[in-house]
Amino acid sequence: QPMAVVMQEDADDGKSPQVLSKRFNVEFIVKDSTLYANSFTGVFSRQYLPLILEHFRYASGIQYKYLDLEYDATHKAIQEKTKIELY
């Protein structure tokens, strides 16, 4: 079944492509507001997030990078979701 991903501002945080955020438990940080004009439809049901992001990069030139986890003084990760910056 095709999965449509629309790069639109999410009502909750104003940042995330909602479908991928929920499916992969990640937080997207969109640095370029022109990216919200993009949309993608494809069969991504059995693909990993890095491969999906590569499809987006080839199709539209969207660049991305994984941001480092943040840690507290005891070296325990203080963020629950992986953060990915889109630009």
Side-chain angles (χ1 to χ4, degrees):
Q1 174 176 346
M3 177 179 72
V5 177
V6 178
M7 295 290 295
Q8 64 185 14
E9 292 189 66
D10 182 44
D12 294 331
D13 63 15
K15 299 177 187 173
S16 314
Q18 196 173 19
V19 172
L20 291 180
S21 292
K22 288 181 180 181
R23 180 169 174 204
F24 292 102
N25 194 33
V26 297
E27 177 183 343
F28 289 98
I29 300 168
V30 180
K31 291 293 192 176
D32 181 357
S33 62
T34 63
L35 296 179
Y36 292 122
N38 291 292
S39 65
F40 305 91
T41 302
V43 180
F44 298 120
S45 59
R46 295 196 173 119
Q47 294 183 10
Y48 295 104
L49 182 58
L51 185 56
I52 294 170
L53 292 172
E54 282 299 301
H55 284 298
F56 293 168
R57 188 171 69 81
Y58 290 131
S60 66
I62 290 177
Q63 299 295 312
Y64 66 92
K65 68 178 176 180
Y66 286 82
L67 300 179
D68 293 333
L69 289 174
E70 297 172 12
Y71 296 93
D72 64 13
T74 64
H75 302 287
K76 181 178 178 183
I78 58 174
Q79 63 193 50
E80 296 179 13
K81 295 182 175 186
T82 300
K83 293 183 180 181
I84 300 173
E85 184 175 276
L86 302 175
Y87 54 97

